[in-house]
Amino acid sequence: MNEIDRLSEFLQRLTPLSRSCLLSELERLELCGIDMPGSADIQSRLRAEFRKDGSTQARATSPSRYFFAPLELLLIDGAPEHANAGRISRNTLTPIWEWICRDLLPTMARDYVKAINDQVAANNPKEVQKTASTFQTKVLKVLESTLASADSTELARAKLAQYTASRTAFDDVMKMLDVLRAGAALPKFNEKLPEQIAKFDDNRVAEITSQLDGFRKSHPRALPFALALVARRLKTPWQLVRLATKAAATKSAADVAAAPYACVVPMVLDRLDDKRLALRVALQHNRVLVARDLLAEIYDIEYALKVRIDDIEHCEWGIRLQQLMDAIAALVSAEVSRFPANVGHTLGSRRLRSHDTLGGKLTYLAWKGRDAMQDGAAAFRKLIGQT
């Protein structure tokens, strides 16, 4: 028996759910930059079975898709190995689902799968929704009970680890719990948001802040997800940081950190980390033009954070920003060094840093002038208040 036949025999011994989980795990490792010999052949075979459209991202089967529907707007396609406040990695859904079906609620899960499949076959969408909602409530209650003590929490974590080596899968379970607890509040909040926010100006920031204030009072643990929904509507997602900087007394890092929505700054850094990961993948596959566009976006985010938050380099946010930019610089340097010194490379072009152009520098000076006036006015108001 040759290697291909042995591989086929091994895969067929696994349950369909296990094969789907294996595919997600191999894709996770690839996104993390871990090269597994023979992984490409296995992924190709499994994608042919589970993804008729040839997709390279996991998509849940029907019963699990209906169960995870409340998470859909919060899912991201990427490696579940770094922080993503308010968002959940799609690649963790398969191992979480297998854990639910095999360990958390095996009997109820079998009943749920049968009921969903029957209702789908009968083309009864209302009953499908009702069945999924009922099972979500059951899982929520069991999770709350399971996670009530440190010992049972560690046992649950260990059980989930049997289905994935991802360090953040259990964090995604906790996020799922917060989303399910919020119930209809997140969809209602999402419906009230503008279709697209092309310009996140002062009036729009005030409007969104007012909506967030009301949501935060009722569902404080679900706030990161509401912020993630806002970010989805922004034409320029890094502008989410304005929710913190606009409310701050001044632009100093300390004052921004004290603002009500300071949590958006690490969320923007999370998205910068996503760009870093996407840049690495693009370079691995020689997609230089994609890498160029990603790098331009990365530089824009870096510049915006440094301009809008004074002394950011001296705080925790700035340390993380520098670490990310160092990692990105190493990726770019490795790519550029593949070519002779006398051959220009698009990733080395100064044009990617638009703020280094004359127009960018003039804009920077205009911002600084405006900021100086605003900070002076804020200091004057503070002084008056102390007298």
Side-chain angles (χ1 to χ4, degrees), residues 108-156:
M108 289 184 180
R110 283 195 297 270
D111 293 342
Y112 163 75
V113 169
K114 182 180 184 307
I116 280 287
N117 287 335
D118 289 346
Q119 295 301 335
V120 170
N123 193 25
N124 195 337
K126 288 186 178 180
E127 283 302 313
V128 167
Q129 178 64 37
K130 181 179 177 182
T131 301
S133 179
T134 300
F135 189 56
Q136 288 161 5
T137 301
K138 290 178 181 178
V139 170
L140 173 60
K141 290 180 179 178
V142 172
L143 278 174
E144 288 178 332
S145 176
T146 300
L147 304 177
S149 71
D151 289 343
S152 58
T153 297
E154 284 308 306
L155 180 60

Side-chain angles (χ1 to χ4, degrees), residues 310-372:
D310 290 342
D311 300 320
I312 189 174
E313 62 273 11
H314 298 133
C315 69
E316 186 177 340
W317 296 334
I319 292 171
R320 186 182 174 200
L321 174 61
Q322 189 59 54
Q323 290 172 340
L324 288 170
M325 295 310 299
D326 287 346
I328 290 163
L331 289 173
V332 174
S333 178
E335 169 65 19
V336 173
S337 67
R338 296 195 303 114
F339 295 82
N342 61 338
V343 176
H345 195 292
T346 185
L347 297 190
S349 173
R350 291 189 60 185
R351 293 181 180 179
L352 295 180
R353 292 183 179 271
S354 59
H355 50 275
D356 278 346
T357 64
L358 176 60
K361 290 178 179 178
L362 291 174
T363 300
Y364 173 79
L365 291 173
W367 279 349
K368 281 299 182 183
R370 181 198 61 188
D371 293 340

Side-chain angles (χ1 to χ4, degrees), residues 49-347:
E49 176 182 357
F50 293 106
R51 314 211 185 126
K52 304 304 182 185
D53 61 351
S55 171
T56 58
Q57 293 295 341
R59 292 296 183 271
T61 56
S62 291
S64 60
R65 186 174 73 249
Y66 292 117
F67 174 79
F68 289 124
L71 312 181
E72 185 60 39
L73 290 177
L74 305 169
L75 296 177
I76 58 170
D77 295 324
E81 302 306 306
H82 56 275
N84 272 293
R87 299 188 297 169
I88 298 171
S89 172
R90 192 183 298 276
N91 281 328
T92 62
L93 298 189
T94 299
I96 289 173
W97 180 246
E98 187 154 352
W99 171 63
I100 290 172
C101 292
R102 292 191 174 189
D103 296 296
L104 195 67
L105 284 169
T107 302
M108 289 184 180
R110 283 195 297 270
D111 293 342
Y112 163 75
V113 169
K114 182 180 184 307
I116 280 287
N117 287 335
D118 289 346
Q119 295 301 335
V120 170
N123 193 25
N124 195 337
K126 288 186 178 180
E127 283 302 313
V128 167
Q129 178 64 37
K130 181 179 177 182
T131 301
S133 179
T134 300
F135 189 56
Q136 288 161 5
T137 301
K138 290 178 181 178
V139 170
L140 173 60
K141 290 180 179 178
V142 172
L143 278 174
E144 288 178 332
S145 176
T146 300
L147 304 177
S149 71
D151 289 343
S152 58
T153 297
E154 284 308 306
L155 180 60
R157 187 190 297 271
K159 287 286 188 180
L160 178 60
Q162 295 177 6
Y163 304 105
T164 176
S166 170
R167 299 184 304 274
T168 59
F170 194 77
D171 293 337
D172 282 347
V173 170
M174 301 303 292
K175 292 178 185 179
M176 178 183 76
L177 189 60
D178 287 334
V179 173
L180 294 180
R181 281 173 175 156
L186 278 168
K188 288 181 179 178
F189 175 83
N190 188 55
E191 289 173 2
K192 293 179 181 179
L193 293 174
E195 188 65 28
Q196 187 183 56
I197 304 175
K199 187 178 180 182
F200 207 35
D201 56 18
D202 290 352
N203 290 335
R204 187 66 84 181
V205 169
E207 175 190 335
I208 298 299
T209 298
S210 177
Q211 292 177 244
L212 286 166
D213 288 344
F215 184 89
R216 184 177 58 165
K217 290 178 182 178
S218 303
H219 305 281
R221 290 186 62 85
L223 177 62
F225 307 109
L227 291 167
L229 293 175
V230 173
R232 283 177 58 94
R233 305 303 180 96
L234 293 174
K235 183 179 180 181
T236 310
W238 64 256
Q239 287 189 349
L240 190 70
V241 77
R242 293 208 67 215
L243 290 170
T245 57
K246 182 62 180 175
T250 70
K251 285 182 56 181
S252 73
D255 283 339
V256 174
Y261 297 105
C263 61
V264 298
V265 179
M267 291 179 74
V268 171
L269 289 170
D270 290 345
R271 282 150 179 75
L272 181 59
D273 202 0
D274 290 340
K275 300 290 183 186
R276 174 194 62 81
L277 182 63
L279 176 65
R280 180 171 59 76
V281 173
L283 291 176
Q284 284 178 339
H285 293 87
N286 292 318
R287 297 170 183 162
V288 178
L289 294 182
V290 173
R292 179 198 62 189
D293 293 343
L294 284 167
L295 194 57
E297 292 178 42
I298 286 168
Y299 290 150
D300 285 347
I301 296 172
E302 177 198 22
Y303 177 66
L305 288 172
K306 287 183 174 180
V307 166
R308 294 174 183 275
I309 304 176
D310 290 342
D311 300 320
I312 189 174
E313 62 273 11
H314 298 133
C315 69
E316 186 177 340
W317 296 334
I319 292 171
R320 186 182 174 200
L321 174 61
Q322 189 59 54
Q323 290 172 340
L324 288 170
M325 295 310 299
D326 287 346
I328 290 163
L331 289 173
V332 174
S333 178
E335 169 65 19
V336 173
S337 67
R338 296 195 303 114
F339 295 82
N342 61 338
V343 176
H345 195 292
T346 185
L347 297 190

Side-chain angles (χ1 to χ4, degrees), residues 23-36:
L23 175 57
S24 292
E25 190 69 1
L26 290 174
E27 289 174 335
R28 182 188 69 81
L29 292 172
E30 183 179 49
L31 287 169
C32 292
I34 300 174
D35 185 24
M36 297 285 290

